[in-house]
Every structure is written in structure tokens, then in C-alpha cells.
């Protein structure tokens, strides 16, 4: 089960530990996977020899610079190839939650193709897969999960991306947050269903919202003709609620009703409370640890 759980490392705080202290904290807690949102060379240095698997992000503000082959090659040589001897890269996340209608939407596929080609040129294609991270807002319908489908607006955007992933045996990265679904729909979603504490299945055969969300994405992939693309949950979390994290870690050892063969590779969001994160106050409270490195909850990552 430990093999399936990682933690996202966001650094939007002015009181956070050094990069080396952060990597040491991952190691001392037996956390074997990390997601970095941008090429943080201090973090990459600290990860050398750690054996921690890495998702490295091409952040949205760098997407356009890698839509040409030379830019992608430079990026991979500088941030991946230079460290790949002793840093265990697993995925490159080319863009994070780029909406279909966004000015950057047209850059995602060419950027993905160029990063993929640059990885191959660096002879790292056996080790590293290029993908992109989406969120569940691309779904036009998500309930019941079997009726999951990409919205009309998202379908033409996501279909060629997913086809590319399928050709290359790469997973789709998806940020899945029962918390936001619950907060927006408290009249129709019960807290126990969102926190994995509900007993028994609901009328469509689901015991928790996480599985329902994930399977609605799988149903949408089936409808665009790509049932074999695997989903890696690249973010999932709940502000100041240890129950969610503990239950998710335990749950990820298994599968979903649609994809019963687990484990589900899942990255918890996030390592620390980040006091400079934008948005609602809750955004600054998703951490598993406080900035002083003390754990907010008693959690066994193994």
C-alpha cells in the first residue's frame, strides 16, 4: 500500500522548512513519492539519492516555452536529464488544470508531444512518462458514475490529449477533490459519503464520493474510446480533516467498482499548510504537517 501514496509539495509559504529538511521529512515518514509543481532545483538537488519517485511539473506559465521542440529539449536537459542519474523521475506533468477555453489550452498537446520527444531523445522514455493534470470540471455529467462524460466544451480539447497518452502508455493525471464537491452540494451529498465513513452502498452502488468521482472519469474515458488509459490521482485533500487523509490512504490500497484492481496511485495535497496560498482561507490549511514540521494528524503513510 505504501507504494501507492505520495504527497504534493507546494511551497507557497514564507515560513516553510528548507528543501533538504522537506526531503528528510518525506524520508522519515516513509513517503515514497513527491509532486513538484515547477522545476525547483533546490528540491531536485535535495532529492538526489533519496529514491523518492517524482512528478515534476511544467507549470502553466512555462507551457508556451515548450511548445517548440528546442524549448522542450532545453527544459528536459536542464531539469530532468541533469538530475536523472540519481533522481527518480516518474511523470512530467505538462500543465496543471488548464481549462478547455483558456488561452493556454491550445498549447497543452504540442507541449506534451515535445516534452515526450525530448524525454525520448534523452533516452529516458523507459523511466518517465509525460502527461497533463486535469480536474473534474471537464466532466459534463458525473452522476451516476457510469454516465460520466466529458462536456461538449471539453471533449475536443481532452480527446486528442488522451489519445496521445494512450499511444505512449502514459496515465492521465487527475486532481480529485470530494471536499469541493461536498462543500458545493451539502444538500445532496452527506459528509460520511465524502469522508469514506458511510456504511453500505448508495442506490448506484457507491460507498464513497472519491470512487464515484474517479469512476465518472473512467466512464468519460471509455466514451471517447480509451478505456485502457489509467488515472493517477495527482491531488486529493481536505483542509484540516485528518479523517479524510487516513481513510484515503487506506482506501487507495484497493480499487474502485469500475477498476477493482488496485492500488490507486494517489498524491495527497499537501505536505504543508501554505500561508501565502491564494483564494479562500481554507486553501491555506490543506497541509499534513505544520511549517515547523510537526504533524497535524496521526497518519501512517505505510
Amino acid at each position: 500500500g505504501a507504494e501507492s501514496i505520495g504527497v504534493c509539495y507546494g511551497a507557497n509559504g514564507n515560513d516553510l522548512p528548507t528543501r533538504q529538511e522537506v526531503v528528510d521529512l518525506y524520508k522519515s515518514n516513509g513517503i515514497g513519492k513527491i509532486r513538484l509543481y515547477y522545476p525547483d532545483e533546490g528540491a531536485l538537488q535535495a532529492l538526489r539519492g533519496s529514491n523518492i519517485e517524482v512528478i515534476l511539473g511544467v507549470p502553466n506559465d512555462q507551457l508556451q516555452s515548450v511548445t517548440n521542440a528546442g524549448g522542450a529539449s532545453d527544459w528536459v536537459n536542464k531539469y530532468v536529464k541533469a538530475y536523472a542519474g540519481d533522481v527518480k523521475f516518474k511523470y512530467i506533468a505538462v500543465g496543471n488544470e488548464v481549462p478547455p477555453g483558456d488561452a493556454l489550452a491550445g498549447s497543452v498537446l504540442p507541449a506534451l508531444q515535445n516534452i515526450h520527444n525530448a524525454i525520448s531523445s534523452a533516452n529516458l522514455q523507459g523511466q518517465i512518462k509525460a502527461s497533463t493534470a486535469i480536474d473534474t470540471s471537464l466532466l459534463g455529467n458525473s452522476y451516476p458514475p457510469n454516465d460520466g462524460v466529458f462536456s461538449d466544451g471539453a471533449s475536443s480539447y481532452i480527446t486528442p490529449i488522451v489519445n496521445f497518452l494512450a499511444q505512449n502508455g502514459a496515465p492521465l493525471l487527475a486532481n480529485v477533490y470530494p471536499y469541493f464537491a461536498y462543500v458545493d452540494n451539502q444538500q445532496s451529498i452527506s459528509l460520511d459519503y465524502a469522508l469514506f465513513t458511510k456504511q453500505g452502498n448508495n442506490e448506484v452502488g457507491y460507498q464513497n464520493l472519491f470512487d464515484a468521482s474517479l469512476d465518472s472519469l473512467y466512464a468519460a474515458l471509455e466514451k471517447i474510446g480509451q478505456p485502457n488509459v489509467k488515472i493517477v490521482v495527482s491531488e486529493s485533500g481536505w483542509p484540516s480533516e485528518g479523517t479524510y487523509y487516513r481513510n484515503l490512504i487506506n482506501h487507495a490500497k484497493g480499487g474502485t467498482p469500475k477498476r477493482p484492481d488496485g492500488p490507486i496511485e494517489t498524491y495527497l495535497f499537501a505536505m504543508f499548510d501554505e500561508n501565502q496560498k491564494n483564494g479562500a482561507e481554507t486553501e491555506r490549511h490543506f497541509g499534513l504537517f505544520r511549517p515547523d514540521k510537526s504533524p497535524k494528524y496521526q497518519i501512517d503513510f505505510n
Side-chain angles (χ1 to χ4, degrees), residues 6-302:
V7 179
C8 302
Y9 170 35
N12 291 318
N14 59 7
D15 54 357
L16 297 178
T18 66
R19 304 303 194 248
Q20 188 60 57
E21 287 177 291
V22 171
V23 171
D24 290 344
L25 191 61
Y26 272 73
K27 288 198 285 201
S28 63
N29 282 278
I31 304 167
K33 299 172 189 286
I34 190 171
R35 180 177 178 188
L36 301 177
Y37 287 92
Y38 64 96
D40 178 337
E41 293 202 79
L44 292 173
Q45 287 287 2
L47 283 161
R48 287 188 185 274
S50 67
N51 221 29
I52 294 171
E53 291 184 335
V54 181
I55 299 182
L56 179 62
V58 178
N60 294 352
D61 61 7
Q62 292 178 16
L63 278 177
Q64 278 178 304
S65 68
V66 299
T67 52
N68 68 72
S73 181
D74 290 348
W75 195 95
V76 166
N77 286 338
K78 183 174 182 185
Y79 301 124
V80 182
K81 194 177 180 183
Y83 294 93
D86 50 5
V87 173
K88 217 170 167 179
F89 295 104
K90 190 171 190 190
Y91 309 121
I92 306 298
V94 183
N96 184 53
E97 298 186 354
V98 178
D102 194 84
L104 282 173
S107 300
V108 176
L109 184 58
L112 186 58
Q113 291 166 327
N114 286 327
I115 290 288
H116 167 84
N117 292 338
I119 290 167
S120 298
S121 300
N123 226 14
L124 295 166
Q125 69 278 13
Q127 179 192 339
I128 306 169
K129 297 289 186 192
S131 185
T132 190
I134 65 162
D135 63 28
T136 50
S137 71
L138 299 192
L139 293 170
N141 183 51
S142 61
Y143 194 84
N146 275 339
D147 292 349
V149 64
F150 291 116
S151 67
D152 292 345
S155 189
S156 58
Y157 163 71
I158 196 65
T159 302
I161 290 171
V162 171
N163 290 343
F164 182 77
L165 299 177
Q167 278 163 19
N168 295 294
L172 176 64
L173 307 177
N175 301 339
V176 177
Y177 282 96
Y179 168 72
F180 291 116
Y182 166 73
V183 167
D184 295 341
N185 301 283
Q186 290 182 47
Q187 66 290 351
S188 56
I189 295 173
S190 66
L191 186 59
D192 61 348
Y193 183 63
L195 289 177
F196 302 95
T197 53
K198 175 180 158 59
Q199 300 305 307
N201 292 339
N202 64 11
E203 67 284 357
V204 294
Y206 281 79
Q207 193 167 354
N208 63 78
L209 183 52
F210 178 85
D211 281 354
S213 303
L214 199 46
D215 277 357
S216 61
L217 280 171
Y218 274 121
L221 290 174
E222 289 168 3
K223 291 184 181 72
I224 59 169
Q226 295 296 359
N228 298 323
V229 170
K230 189 175 152 231
I231 295 170
V232 168
V233 178
S234 43
E235 283 179 23
S236 192
W238 196 295
S240 299
E241 180 50 89
T243 307
Y244 180 78
Y245 292 106
R246 276 191 292 269
N247 290 342
L248 176 56
I249 289 167
N250 196 38
H251 184 75
K253 295 173 185 171
T256 67
K258 232 180 191 336
R259 297 286 185 276
D261 296 335
I264 304 163
E265 188 176 346
T266 302
Y267 291 76
L268 309 180
F269 185 90
M271 196 63 174
F272 299 103
D273 282 349
E274 299 171 72
N275 66 358
Q276 293 178 316
K277 209 157 184 297
N278 295 328
E281 179 59 32
T282 47
E283 290 290 327
R284 296 182 275 284
H285 299 277
F286 275 86
L288 296 161
F289 293 86
R290 299 182 189 93
D292 66 4
K293 302 189 289 186
S294 64
K296 279 172 69 180
Y297 322 108
Q298 289 312 116
I299 289 180
D300 179 0
F301 294 94
N302 305 306

